[in-house]
Amino acid sequence: MTLILGLESSCDETAAALVTSDRAILAHRVAGQEAEHRPYGGVVPEIAARAHVDRLAPLVEQVLADAGVALSDVDAIAATAGPGLIGGVMVGLVTGKALAHAAGKPLVAVNHLEGHALSPRLVEPDLRFPYLLLLVSGGHCQLLLVEGVGAYRRLATTIDDAAGEAFDKTAKLLGLGYPGGPAVEHIAAEGDPRAVALPRPLVGSAEPHFSFAGLKSAVARAAASGAHATPDLAASFQAAVVDCLVDRSRIALAACPQATAFVVAGGVAANGAIRTALTALAGEFGKPFVAPPLWLCTDNGAMIAWAGAERFAAGFTDPLDTAARPRWPLDPAAEAVRGAGVKA
């Protein structure tokens, strides 16, 4: 059994965790930054980076104390090396390098997206490769065939905005505050999802990819019209996102009969309406549906520690001069798609 310390700082959550290779979470702590970013309606990169500097070292001390272990007891240090807000990524990676150097331990540089991709295996020991993954978060919306640790085949990506980004922008348009995803879901429960006619970009198209920019623009026009109650508009927006995710995922499921399960991960996977719809879709294809618990969907240190444990077991370690990366696709060989740009 190996013990991995995981560090996460790619966006606005500062997190540290201790996880063993046999799936025991010995300790995990997350320090959020909602109060700092709420006045701006979104994450301010400089503020986020400074908060990580202040909070990460104390969090590491706390998780070690919580677990009753010393740094010398850890077998490897796993730290997010990208993708993400480069200032925050650098804070976590440099901290990981310093700890690894000081303790004489190996460094495992983790792709934040691989942390999400492997997180269901932390809580589902029977989840086997290959599985179909819908990775849906604030910055990414992709369908991937997860063939193994470090082996990903991208089937679809967003050609513009990610679903989580659309949730955040919709929350801002509707004056719901930050963070946007939970705020939209909460008020949508009070609304009629059929009240506002909103587009479902690419639904019904043979193209496998996602698009949410048009939906976001339609919400902006509907909100500006003043003709709709906020709960109805939130519910209609959420229903449109659900329809888009289900339609695109259906294409991927049909193309991957070898998949052992249909898995969803990432911050948007915490949305109850999305989980319900995707559970039903998996049933249509006779596949088990797997989603991490809600706390493991949002950014956290446990998923980075677990990805580090999986990579360490596979023989992957990284030198101390490993660079932080603002962009880091899981499938570098994937064909570029129209409009995808840096989100591909």
Side-chain angles (χ1 to χ4, degrees):
M1 182 190 74
T2 56
L3 176 62
I4 309 296
L5 171 64
L7 310 178
E8 159 60 20
S9 60
S10 65
C11 191
D12 61 334
E13 305 285 354
T14 313
L18 285 161
V19 174
T20 69
S21 56
D22 60 356
R23 295 179 169 83
I25 302 171
L26 300 189
H28 72 93
R29 286 183 178 249
V30 179
Q33 301 177 13
E34 288 87 353
E36 288 89 337
H37 301 290
R38 187 172 290 114
Y40 307 97
V43 178
V44 180
E46 178 65 20
I47 292 175
R50 290 178 180 273
H52 291 312
V53 170
D54 291 338
R55 296 173 182 176
L56 187 53
L59 278 183
V60 171
E61 294 178 351
Q62 289 165 4
V63 296
L64 290 170
D66 291 344
V69 301
L71 185 61
S72 59
D73 298 321
V74 173
D75 294 291
I77 313 293
T80 298
L85 302 177
I86 191 60
V89 172
M90 290 176 65
V91 171
L93 183 57
V94 168
T95 301
K97 291 177 180 181
L99 292 172
H101 178 70
K105 304 294 181 178
L107 172 73
V108 182
V110 174
N111 185 313
H112 177 82
L113 303 181
E114 186 167 41
H116 282 304
L118 297 176
S119 63
R121 284 172 48 85
L122 173 58
V123 291
E124 293 288 344
D126 296 330
L127 179 59
R128 296 175 291 106
F129 301 120
Y131 53 85
L132 179 66
L133 170 69
L134 172 61
L135 176 55
V136 57
S137 67
H140 296 83
C141 190
Q142 300 182 357
L143 282 157
L144 303 127
L145 187 64
V146 181
E147 299 174 325
V149 177
Y152 302 90
R153 180 156 60 91
R154 197 202 71 199
L155 305 174
T157 187
T158 177
I159 65 173
D160 42 58
D161 296 340
E165 182 180 357
F167 267 98
D168 287 340
K169 294 294 177 57
T170 293
K172 190 170 184 177
L173 286 166
L174 300 182
L176 300 179
Y178 174 83
V184 170
E185 182 180 12
H186 177 74
I187 199 167
E190 305 170 11
D192 178 0
R194 298 172 298 279
V196 186
L198 294 174
R200 271 73 170 160
L202 295 182
V203 166
S205 166
E207 183 175 359
H209 303 297
F210 299 90
S211 173
F212 294 101
L215 173 58
K216 184 180 69 177
S217 297
V219 171
R221 290 191 295 270
S225 74
H228 309 287
T230 296
D232 288 344
L233 191 46
S236 298
F237 162 77
Q238 181 174 266
V241 173
V242 168
D243 288 348
C244 292
L245 294 177
V246 168
D247 183 77
R248 307 289 84 192
S249 297
R250 181 175 281 112
I251 293 175
L253 280 163
C256 297
Q258 72 273 39
T260 62
F262 181 36
V263 177
V264 63
V268 182
N271 181 284
I274 290 173
R275 283 185 177 232
T276 298
L278 296 179
T279 300
L281 178 64
E284 291 179 23
F285 286 84
K287 304 288 187 184
F289 177 71
V290 178
L294 299 185
W295 72 267
L296 197 53
C297 290
T298 52
D299 293 352
N300 62 88
M303 73 177 191
I304 301 304
W306 175 250
E310 293 243 51
R311 292 187 65 80
F312 189 63
F316 297 120
T317 59
D318 297 278
L320 293 181
D321 62 354
T322 296
R325 303 173 65 172
R327 306 179 185 103
W328 190 0
L330 280 178
D331 181 5
E335 181 180 359
V337 300
R338 61 181 181 92
V342 299
K343 294 182 181 179

